[in-house]
Amino acid sequence: AMAGEGSTFRLRCSLLGHGQDVRGLTRGLFPEGGFVSVSRDRTARLWAPDGLNRGFTEMHCMSGHSNFVSCVCIIPASDLYPRGLIATGGNDHNICIFTVDNPTPLYVLKGHKNTVCSLSSGKFGTLLSGSWDTTAKVWLNDRCMMTLQGHTAAIWAVKILPEQGLMLTGSADKTIKLWKAGRCERTFTGHEDCVRGLAILSEMEFLSCANDASVRRWQISGECLQVYYGHTNYIYSVSVFPRCKDFVTTGEDRSLRIWKQGECAQTIRLPAQSVWCCCVLDNGDIVVGASDGIIRVFTESLERTASAEEIQAFENELAQASIDPKTGDLGDINADDLPGREHLKDPGTRDGQTRLIKDNGKVEAYQWSVSEGRWIKIGDVVGSSGATQQTSGKVLFEGKEYDYVFTIDVNENGPSYKLPYNITDDPWLTAYNFLQKNDLNPMFLDQVAKFIMDNTKGQTLLSTSNQFSDPFTGAGRYVPGSSSGSSTIPGADPFTGAGRYVPGSASNAVTPVGRVDPFTGMGAYQSAAAKVENIYFPKKDAVTFDQANPTQILGKLKELNGSAAEEHKLTEDDLIILEKLLSATCNTSAETPTAQQLQTLWRALNWPEDIVFPALDILRLSVRHPTVNENFCSEKEHVQFIILLLKFLNPKGKQANQLLALRALCNCFVSHAGQKLMMEQRDEIMTQAIETKSGNNKNIHIALATLTLNYAVCLHKVNNVEGKAQCLSVISTVMEVVQDLEAIFRLLVALGTLISDDTNAVQLAKSLGVDSQIKKYASVSEPAKVKECCRFVLNLL
């Protein structure tokens, strides 16, 4: 148990096993009291408490990454894996998932385009990953469900909050973002440098730590409640004690700090430059991992404290390492003895000679150039005891870590350029990319590559990183044309429920006495209610907007044509042509629409936005006709067509245009060509369409809900995980703002259709917290269909 107030942490044990820096730690589910560590040595290790003494035993060593492993988290127990799973992320861009008893991965998640440096798990098997590729991804089992885009630099930290559907990301762009159902809800600003770690205090509060050497406590609502100072350098990790608000931090100042009641209560120095990570065990003991590859555990409990000899050995090690408190010892050179900048006044004696100087406490390396007769800066030296520069790779450039960051001057007066380099990189490829990125003359290629090789002599690691193994095929993405969507015939509007048996609606007209819930099966209700069948979903066919008044539409068109500018005016003949198109598509004549009619309609659709709405209405009605659908949605025309409709969805534009464009998009789903186009352009269309929710217009909300429903109908037929995830995110986002019950009903049917027969989709809906969003609709009295449909959906969740 946690010891009393004012007690101090002492060493419990030091664990050797990893060959290089320990970069990530997490407390384990199994075995009890154990933890998992990951390292630059490419392995993950599972440690179990040693019953006999105060230490831990390595249960097994897991390998699956082809490069450094940088983060780890536990995925909670499930029916299939009662002991939970272990997820690790690495510099090979992959995430490996292990069971607790097998040293090889159960499966590997591919999709990130750069180092995966943070992982967090949520309920229902969801996993959130953060990467240097500036994105975070949400995974469910072995599939990527959604990608969170918005940060402008590497994402160093991610956390799933206890309240469903909320996620946090911390980035090298100095901000933290809160995401709900896959959309950024809020950005927290305050840190002055790269955000490195996050920790959850409660449903309403969290902590962040950063390279600005501060820890901040935030409220989910956006307010920064407190800033904690104490560290003198980058803070890499923050971890919270169980059942209280105290926490621990570790950083680049060789220390572990314990914070109680908002104060730094204890500082423990370690004999290693970088203290990368920490975690708190259930019993309150602290585990830390550092650049010397050693894991150390500290405890407040006297029974678990190490023996006097072990503590003495630890202190001796510390005394030797901390002789230079400024942590600047470069091999045998003591930074304090280094000359200052004046040393660069003396010329060098040979080309390529290097010289170290100290400037503002920073050690810099220079190289003599005979041809230019000057010293050229070749890098900031970050060597240190316990970790060579090569093991702790801590030069930061644009928020990412590198083994070296060279400064290259291409000519005397021009600007200097930063060239970041890792010893696992190919010098030629790096040089080529550097010249490309900075628009420099390719003739420097040999020179730059040679410069890199000369300045990193003997520092190459065995390059086994098969960098090109994952070509980002994005398997599981929708591949155009793969949808074998069956062509659906436009039917009557299935929502009027006309002539259909609507369970319980007759007796609901008489409000049940005392609001008795007709489903409790009270009295005579029982037999009828028990048999209520789900007539609502999964829906098989698209829902269309068919209601039409051709005379009114044409009247308005003529009226507006009268006041249109000369270049837009339609002739009498044009108006007759459009009248024929309307009668051909509203089933009042047996004629087929002609190319000439569609060209005339296209001209009218390009009218200025304040008068275009009657033309949009003609489009909405005519696109239901197979000929028109084929014409506008086929390979040839569709780009123009989609651009036109998306233009009208601009939330700043006229609401009438937004409404009719949404309805036209819904009606596109009646034919195969339209379905294919809608599915190919789904991402664009949904992203634009969701913006129309802000206008609080009931008809627009119904149209938006219907568009989502039509997507759900198509997605129910093809197993497109990303599509379903986007749809669920839209449903969840739109539910927040919609008041109209018809729109709610259509969203419920869409939700039911999406999750029917798909356990993955059910889990994702739960992790987004959709079930708690819709509960309130289970008690709506009128219309009965809302309540009934809602209950059927809740049964699935």
Side-chain angles (χ1 to χ4, degrees):
M2 298 271 301
E5 186 50 42
S7 50
T8 47
F9 278 88
R10 292 185 184 78
L11 184 71
R12 171 175 167 182
C13 59
S14 300
L15 305 171
L16 304 163
H18 283 295
Q20 287 190 47
D21 305 48
V22 177
R23 289 299 303 251
L25 287 163
T26 184
R27 62 191 180 87
L29 267 182
F30 173 87
E32 211 177 322
F35 62 89
V36 185
S37 60
V38 296
S39 157
R40 280 178 74 110
D41 67 8
R42 307 184 179 193
T43 68
R45 294 167 198 248
L46 178 63
W47 303 84
D50 189 323
L52 302 171
N53 58 31
R54 307 174 186 87
F56 287 81
T57 325
E58 183 183 313
M59 281 184 67
H60 65 240
C61 176
M62 295 159 274
S63 26
H65 290 280
S66 59
N67 209 325
F68 314 144
V69 193
S70 44
C71 55
V72 59
C73 85
I74 297 292
I75 297 173
S78 63
D79 296 345
L80 201 52
Y81 301 104
R83 293 170 165 187
L85 294 169
I86 297 165
T88 59
N91 282 46
D92 57 4
H93 314 176
N94 293 343
I95 299 165
C96 291
I97 309 289
F98 298 90
T99 56
V100 290
D101 39 25
N102 193 330
T104 55
L106 181 66
Y107 50 86
V108 178
L109 306 177
K110 291 174 184 268
H112 278 297
K113 297 180 169 59
N114 208 324
T115 297
V116 177
C117 52
S118 182
L119 291 166
S120 173
S121 62
K123 294 180 189 156
F124 317 109
T126 45
L127 180 68
L128 175 63
S129 60
S131 163
W132 289 359
D133 66 13
T134 78
T135 72
K137 287 181 182 291
V138 183
W139 308 81
L140 183 61
N141 306 326
D142 56 351
R143 308 291 287 276
C144 177
M145 288 300 187
M146 45 179 74
T147 300
L148 310 182
Q149 287 172 313
H151 282 293
T152 54
I155 294 181
W156 274 103
V158 296
K159 273 281 180 279
I160 294 184
L161 282 151
E163 194 197 319
Q164 293 174 340
L166 292 182
M167 297 175 179
L168 288 170
T169 53
S171 162
D173 65 15
K174 307 179 190 172
T175 70
I176 299 160
K177 288 182 184 289
L178 173 72
W179 307 79
K180 177 154 194 187
R183 291 167 62 83
C184 180
E185 290 269 301
R186 182 169 293 117
T187 300
F188 301 79
T189 52
H191 277 298
E192 285 156 31
D193 202 346
C194 187
V195 178
R196 295 298 287 260
L198 292 166
I200 307 298
L201 287 170
S202 68
E203 290 209 350
M204 299 314 294
E205 289 183 21
F206 65 93
L207 297 168
S208 60
C209 65
N211 281 357
D212 62 11
S214 76
V215 176
R216 285 174 177 259
R217 181 161 64 92
W218 305 87
Q219 227 164 2
I220 296 292
S221 56
E223 197 185 341
C224 179
L225 301 172
Q226 204 171 349
V227 185
Y228 307 88
Y229 294 105
H231 281 277
T232 57
N233 207 326
Y234 299 167
I235 306 178
Y236 293 133
S237 79
V238 56
S239 191
V240 178
F241 282 105
R243 298 172 294 283
C244 68
K245 288 197 172 182
D246 298 339
F247 58 95
V248 277
T249 50
T250 66
E252 181 60 16
D253 57 5
R254 303 173 170 241
S255 75
L256 148 74
R257 291 171 196 255
I258 291 130
W259 303 78
K260 293 186 173 177
Q261 270 97 47
E263 299 290 319
C264 179
Q266 191 184 351
T267 300
I268 298 176
R269 301 265 170 201
L270 293 182
Q273 177 64 50
S274 311
V275 190
W276 289 119
C277 51
C278 60
C279 73
V280 180
L281 301 178
D282 287 332
N283 60 9
D285 287 4
I286 302 167
V287 187
V288 293
S291 51
D292 57 2
I294 299 175
I295 296 167
R296 296 178 177 86
V297 186
F298 295 89
T299 184
E300 283 183 306
S301 142
L302 294 172
E303 301 90 88
R304 294 194 295 272
T305 303
S307 66
E309 299 82 57
E310 286 172 282
I311 288 181
Q312 190 54 55
F314 172 67
E315 284 174 3
N316 293 346
E317 204 185 343
L318 195 58
Q320 286 157 3
S322 289
I323 293 164
D324 170 20
K326 294 184 203 64
T327 72
D329 36 356
L330 296 162
D332 299 328
I333 307 164
N334 187 335
D336 283 340
D337 301 339
L338 285 176
R341 192 162 286 289
E342 67 283 355
H343 189 46
L344 297 177
K345 292 199 175 82
D346 309 337
T349 50
R350 58 188 169 78
D351 199 59
Q353 175 191 357
T354 56
R355 190 167 274 182
L356 295 176
I357 64 133
K358 195 174 120 198
D359 187 47
N360 288 330
K362 245 189 7 192
V363 179
E364 301 177 346
Y366 284 77
Q367 175 176 310
W368 179 250
S369 160
V370 168
S371 60
E372 297 190 29
R374 65 186 183 106
W375 290 100
I376 297 170
K377 183 174 174 191
I378 57 170
D380 292 321
V381 181
V382 271
S384 52
S385 68
T388 60
Q389 173 168 343
Q390 140 195 13
T391 59
S392 58
K394 278 181 312 298
V395 203
L396 273 143
F397 177 66
E398 292 179 349
K400 300 179 195 169
E401 298 176 321
Y402 293 92
D403 293 318
Y404 296 89
V405 176
F406 297 112
T407 303
I408 306 271
D409 294 311
V410 180
N411 56 35
E412 191 69 53
N413 350 8
S416 62
Y417 299 94
K418 292 283 188 209
L419 180 138
Y421 180 74
N422 282 320
I423 45 193
T424 48
D425 293 345
D426 175 320
W428 295 95
L429 190 60
T430 305
Y432 173 77
N433 290 338
F434 165 76
L435 295 172
Q436 284 267 340
K437 178 180 174 184
N438 295 298
D439 245 356
L440 298 171
N441 192 327
M443 63 176 232
F444 289 119
L445 182 66
D446 288 6
Q447 215 176 325
V448 176
K450 185 175 179 309
F451 171 88
I452 294 173
M453 292 185 281
D454 290 348
N455 287 295
T456 55
K457 277 207 175 74
Q459 300 246 343
T460 48
L461 292 181
L462 287 173
S463 180
T464 54
S465 78
N466 45 353
Q467 263 175 319
F468 301 103
S469 66
D470 178 7
F472 309 120
T473 52
R477 288 254 265 323
Y478 168 74
V479 182
S482 67
S483 107
S484 54
S486 57
S487 156
T488 55
I489 300 133
D493 181 1
F495 283 102
T496 53
R500 275 244 207 52
Y501 159 65
V502 179
S505 61
S507 39
N508 270 3
V510 186
T511 311
V513 187
R515 300 289 314 268
V516 173
D517 182 341
F519 284 99
T520 52
M522 293 191 65
Y525 256 100
Q526 187 146 15
S527 54
K531 292 194 190 65
V532 171
E533 54 165 335
N534 181 355
I535 56 170
Y536 302 110
F537 62 83
K539 263 199 81 49
K540 297 286 191 280
D541 303 314
V543 177
T544 51
F545 289 91
D546 304 312
Q547 196 261 328
N549 188 331
T551 328
Q552 264 186 332
I553 297 172
L554 287 164
K556 196 69 188 165
L557 189 73
K558 285 176 183 162
E559 176 195 322
L560 292 168
N561 191 45
S563 58
E566 278 312 311
E567 72 266 25
H568 295 303
K569 264 204 174 45
L570 300 173
T571 63
E572 278 304 312
D573 288 353
D574 290 338
L575 292 168
I576 292 166
I577 287 170
L578 289 177
E579 190 169 354
K580 282 197 173 134
L581 174 62
L582 259 180
S583 64
T585 53
C586 291
N587 303 332
T588 44
S589 79
E591 291 174 32
T592 300
T594 64
Q596 183 194 24
Q597 289 168 2
L598 296 179
Q599 278 155 5
T600 309
L601 173 57
W602 186 252
R603 278 190 10 240
L605 285 168
N606 284 286
W607 271 8
E609 69 162 352
D610 50 336
I611 60 171
V612 73
F613 63 91
L616 267 176
D617 216 7
I618 297 175
L619 172 69
R620 176 219 16 137
L621 289 164
S622 52
V623 80
R624 298 168 308 160
H625 192 289
T627 314
V628 183
N629 197 293
E630 181 63 41
N631 180 288
F632 283 131
C633 301
S634 67
E635 296 300 320
K636 294 194 295 294
E637 304 294 333
H638 73 250
V639 182
Q640 258 46 52
F641 179 61
I642 289 293
I643 291 171
L644 176 90
L645 287 176
L646 291 181
K647 182 183 80 184
F648 291 126
L649 292 181
N650 183 345
K652 295 191 180 68
K654 281 181 78 76
Q655 287 202 328
N657 295 347
Q658 292 173 36
L659 175 66
L660 294 168
L662 285 171
R663 287 180 173 177
L665 286 166
C666 292
N667 288 358
C668 284
F669 281 89
V670 298
S671 283
H672 184 64
Q675 279 179 27
K676 185 166 178 285
L677 175 62
M678 294 292 105
M679 289 297 274
E680 279 172 23
Q681 304 292 323
R682 168 185 54 75
D683 195 33
E684 278 288 298
I685 294 171
M686 290 296 254
T687 306
Q688 273 291 310
I690 197 169
E691 297 305 325
T692 62
K693 73 179 170 47
S694 53
N696 287 333
N697 174 306
K698 159 183 140 170
N699 289 326
I700 289 180
H701 285 171
I702 293 174
L704 179 56
T706 310
L707 180 64
T708 314
L709 171 55
N710 285 353
Y711 270 115
V713 170
C714 280
L715 288 162
H716 182 64
K717 298 181 188 133
V718 292
N719 190 18
N720 173 339
V721 186
E722 270 179 63
K724 285 192 169 185
Q726 187 186 25
C727 243
L728 283 168
S729 169
V730 169
I731 291 170
S732 169
T733 312
V734 177
M735 278 274 182
E736 299 271 290
V737 293
V738 170
Q739 248 103 53
D740 181 77
L741 288 176
E742 183 56 40
I744 293 290
F745 174 62
R746 294 185 183 202
L747 289 169
L748 289 170
V749 176
L751 178 57
T753 302
L754 274 178
I755 64 177
S756 289
D757 323 313
D758 184 346
T759 49
N760 266 352
V762 169
Q763 285 183 292
L764 185 65
K766 281 183 175 167
S767 68
L768 293 177
V770 177
D771 47 346
S772 55
Q773 270 184 306
I774 65 171
K775 280 201 177 80
K776 58 183 175 200
Y777 298 114
S779 50
V780 169
S781 53
E782 280 294 319
K785 63 182 185 179
V786 173
K787 166 174 66 185
E788 285 158 13
C789 184
C790 180
R791 292 185 182 175
F792 284 122
V793 175
L794 287 171
N795 286 345
L796 289 181
L797 294 168

